[in-house]
Amino acid sequence: MTSPPIGYRIVVVGASAGGLHALRTLVSALPEDFDVPVVVVQHRAKESELLCELLQECSPMTVYEVTDKQEIGPGVFVGPPDYHLLLDRDGYFSLSTDEPVRYSRPSIDVMFESAADVYGMDTVGVVLTGANQDGAAGLRRIADAGGHCVVQDPDTSEVRVMPRFAVRAVPDACVLPLEEIGPHLAAIRGRRVPRCRSAA
Amino acid sequence: MAQAPKVQLPDTPAAYDRDLERIEVELLLEAVYRHYGFDFRSYAYSSLKRRVWKRIHQDGLNTITQLADRVLHDPAMMEKLLLDLSINVTAMFRDPGFYAAFREKVVPALRTYPFIRIWHAGCSTGEEVFSMAILLEEEGLYDRARIYATDINEVVLQRARAGIFPLDKMQEYTQNYLKAGGKRSFSEYYTALYDGALFNAALTRNVVFSQHNLVTDGSFSEFNVIVCRNVMIYFDRKLQNRVHGLFYESLGRFGTLALGNKETLRFTEFEDRYEVVDAREKIYRRLA
Ligand SMILES: C[S@@+](CC[C@H](N)C(=O)[O-])C[C@H]1O[C@@H](n2cnc3c(N)ncnc32)[C@H](O)[C@@H]1O
């Protein structure tokens, strides 16, 4: 597993309704040499398999649909539909068909929590557009571990519910318009920044 | 059977010390292994830990050590924990593309065998075993087939033996069956009883259900086909390698190995010992 010498070692992203556009915008703003693994959970129908291709179209980084026990390394990693995605401390992903958590499988909370457990303060969590409260508890977990939290500005979200719950759970998260999230991630690479603006 | 409301997995407590948590989990698994013989020590940690906490919350306990105490002194608690740790989610003709590919790419080879031995490892409540039996029946191969269906968990095996599945699933299963290339009317295979669908006993006349633990038990025969889907995702890499060793040893020459949709041989030491029959559906053939 390669990781940059200092700063964040993992970026985890959760998206639901409206996520395709948001994710495309985010990944297209990351530089080709962005060497921090970007792990994505997007709620979607069982059979939808195009997501990776659609992201690859606009990402300079390689986009993978995660296979069980795949190594965590540079690239964009998308969890497959209908499986929970977990990061294991030995440096690879594990999938699980555990029951849905709060009606979701994959669950953003489950993925975020495992990232916070393994990477602690080296984690960046990003919650994007969506119509439920998945991601909020997981983002809280990342904040408690000392990680950096980013939430899509509800006003720039196709659906505001998920970002709103996330901000409620982590009031001092960095709230950014969609277009600024990718550049922000690129800018904080290799260093460490305070959680964000103090609770405004 | 009405669909039960989905259980919400509780979050593991945020304030818990992660290093302490790891120690307690390891002690719990060690205790379970030494006292009951079930070896979960090499299961993938993150998801295992979540399920341990789920049991703790459901029983109103506070720490993993309290759970260990209960489990050691109360076999009924061990049974509950065993059910928690062995995720039993399954479905008939799950991933229909797999069954379609099996029909197209494996069945022709099976036709050349006088006798076919199949091992379904980690068969859970039996849905995939019945699916395979139906497929073989339709291909005219069932009479020369014997299916060994095993699982670590005796409770799910008992349900598999009964051959009764929830009636409200039949619509979904019928869809799966059709997508899998089913040739008849799916309803020919079962009789509706109250809220259950009782599958024809003829489908299991060549099936043996028995308890077998992939971690601690050895090989028990030589097979033409081994199906082990969505079981090894719960194992860590080291354990996956060991179990792949067991499968390799248990497969005859040119035997077929079928893994779950999101599993692969790529991250194991056995990649070079198989050729790919269907990359998408994760069907492999053992090289000589
Ligand atoms: C998710 S289910 C998969 C069922 C079925 N193969 C399918 O794909 O639909 C996993 C099954 O593996 C079984 N299992 C877990 N650990 C096992 C072990 N060490 N040995 C044998 N079976 C095991 C569990 O009891 C459970 O029934």
Side-chain angles (χ1 to χ4, degrees):
Chain A
M1 188 181 113
T2 52
S3 49
I6 45 163
Y8 301 104
R9 289 192 296 143
I10 196 100
V11 174
V12 292
V13 183
S16 186
L20 178 59
H21 168 69
L23 287 168
R24 279 171 66 100
T25 309
L26 190 159
V27 299
S28 61
L30 295 173
E32 185 176 356
D33 64 348
F34 193 81
D35 48 3
V36 186
V38 178
V39 186
V40 174
V41 161
Q42 156 77 57
H43 296 157
R44 55 192 164 135
K46 236 188 233 179
E47 320 274 328
S48 64
E49 285 172 337
L50 274 174
L51 181 61
C52 288
E53 284 169 44
L54 293 172
L55 293 183
Q56 187 64 80
E57 266 175 19
C58 57
S59 171
M61 301 163 72
T62 308
V63 180
Y64 304 91
E65 178 168 283
V66 176
T67 308
D68 183 58
K69 300 297 172 295
Q70 186 166 2
E71 245 143 65
I72 303 171
V76 176
F77 297 85
V78 182
D82 214 28
Y83 287 83
H84 290 303
L85 176 63
L86 298 110
L87 292 78
D88 251 295
R89 59 155 65 181
D90 302 313
Y92 49 72
F93 294 104
S94 284
L95 301 175
S96 123
T97 55
D98 271 40
E99 60 267 56
V101 177
R102 284 180 278 278
Y103 307 103
S104 302
R105 187 172 64 209
S107 151
I108 301 168
D109 282 340
V110 167
M111 193 270 277
F112 278 15
E113 179 190 307
S114 72
D117 280 2
V118 174
Y119 293 90
M121 66 188 295
D122 295 339
T123 313
V124 179
V126 182
V127 173
L128 302 175
T129 167
N132 51 59
Q133 56 171 297
D134 196 14
L139 197 69
R140 182 68 245 165
R141 190 57 171 269
I142 291 171
D144 290 340
H148 181 65
C149 299
V150 179
V151 178
Q152 181 177 358
D153 182 348
D155 291 335
T156 69
S157 300
E158 236 166 276
V159 186
R160 299 166 189 211
V161 182
M162 207 161 88
R164 280 204 177 133
F165 272 108
V167 178
R168 197 174 301 167
V170 185
D172 54 353
C174 233
V175 177
L176 294 174
L178 178 58
E179 282 67 29
E180 287 174 28
I181 295 178
H184 175 75
L185 296 175
I188 65 174
R189 179 170 50 146
R191 57 199 184 90
R192 206 177 283 287
V193 291
R195 197 177 296 150
C196 216
R197 311 162 183 151
S198 54
Chain B
M1 192 168 3
Q3 184 119 31
K6 301 228 165 65
V7 182
Q8 299 195 349
L9 270 190
D11 296 312
T12 65
Y16 219 81
D17 181 309
R18 296 298 143 210
D19 293 329
L20 185 58
E21 182 180 55
R22 180 86 180 194
I23 294 170
E24 289 185 271
V25 168
E26 281 172 9
L27 290 172
L28 168 70
L29 299 183
E30 189 65 30
V32 164
Y33 175 56
R34 304 249 315 255
H35 192 57
Y36 293 100
F38 292 112
D39 188 355
F40 290 100
R41 294 173 301 174
S42 300
Y43 277 50
Y45 181 74
S46 302
S47 58
L48 178 128
K49 186 200 74 171
R50 287 191 66 83
R51 298 197 295 276
V52 166
W53 277 111
K54 181 182 144 197
R55 174 51 47 213
I56 290 170
H57 290 293
Q58 285 181 354
D59 281 280
L61 306 171
N62 292 309
T63 64
I64 301 165
T65 304
Q66 283 177 6
L67 177 64
D69 179 33
R70 289 283 301 275
V71 163
L72 280 174
H73 298 285
D74 180 2
M77 192 62 153
M78 179 61 226
E79 199 160 301
K80 283 203 260 179
L81 184 64
L82 182 61
L83 268 172
D84 296 329
L85 295 186
S86 56
I87 307 299
N88 303 118
V89 183
T90 187
M92 292 190 81
F93 295 97
R94 178 181 193 172
D95 310 313
F98 163 71
Y99 290 91
F102 192 91
R103 236 185 245 270
E104 190 189 326
K105 298 182 179 172
V106 180
V107 161
L110 298 183
R111 286 193 198 292
T112 66
Y113 300 152
F115 195 69
I116 306 162
R117 303 167 74 86
I118 300 180
W119 180 13
H120 275 273
C123 67
S124 190
T125 36
E127 281 83 339
E128 68 174 359
V129 177
F130 281 83
S131 310
M132 181 63 77
I134 289 171
L135 187 158
L136 293 173
E137 172 71 35
E138 292 183 359
E139 297 300 327
L141 291 176
Y142 188 76
D143 285 332
R144 40 179 152 134
R146 168 133 314 170
I147 299 178
Y148 297 82
T150 65
D151 201 279
I152 186 178
N153 192 329
E154 185 57 41
V155 176
V156 296
L157 286 170
Q158 270 163 26
R159 279 197 248 152
R161 285 188 196 102
I164 302 172
F165 304 118
L167 196 56
D168 60 10
K169 292 272 184 187
M170 289 307 129
Q171 220 172 350
E172 177 195 332
Y173 292 173
T174 304
Q175 291 304 318
N176 285 354
Y177 167 77
L178 293 173
K179 285 189 213 156
K183 296 185 170 167
R184 300 187 197 157
S185 154
F186 190 57
S187 57
E188 279 178 33
Y189 294 106
Y190 63 86
T191 313
L193 312 159
Y194 305 101
D195 46 14
L198 170 65
F199 278 73
N200 300 348
L203 290 171
T204 46
R205 68 183 186 275
N206 293 340
V207 179
V208 183
F209 288 102
S210 60
Q211 194 175 24
H212 179 277
N213 186 336
L214 290 168
V215 183
T216 47
D217 297 334
S219 175
F220 55 96
S221 188
E222 188 175 295
F223 300 94
N224 307 105
V225 178
I226 296 178
V227 181
C228 184
R229 311 176 70 224
N230 301 299
V231 179
M232 282 189 282
I233 56 178
Y234 297 103
F235 299 171
D236 72 13
R237 270 194 181 185
K238 198 180 75 204
L239 179 54
Q240 285 197 353
N241 265 313
R242 264 207 29 216
V243 175
H244 273 297
L246 174 67
F247 287 160
Y248 184 77
E249 191 187 309
S250 309
L251 268 180
R253 291 179 76 198
F254 307 118
T256 300
L257 175 66
L259 304 179
N261 245 239
K262 304 298 170 196
E263 297 172 66
T264 173
L265 276 172
R266 199 161 64 231
F267 312 123
T268 74
E269 289 159 22
F270 291 85
E271 186 180 8
D272 299 338
R273 316 242 189 131
Y274 291 85
E275 65 180 350
V276 176
V277 175
D278 189 303
R280 206 190 128 83
E281 301 302 337
K282 305 303 181 319
I283 302 175
Y284 301 89
R285 183 181 295 117
R286 186 190 140 140
L287 296 170

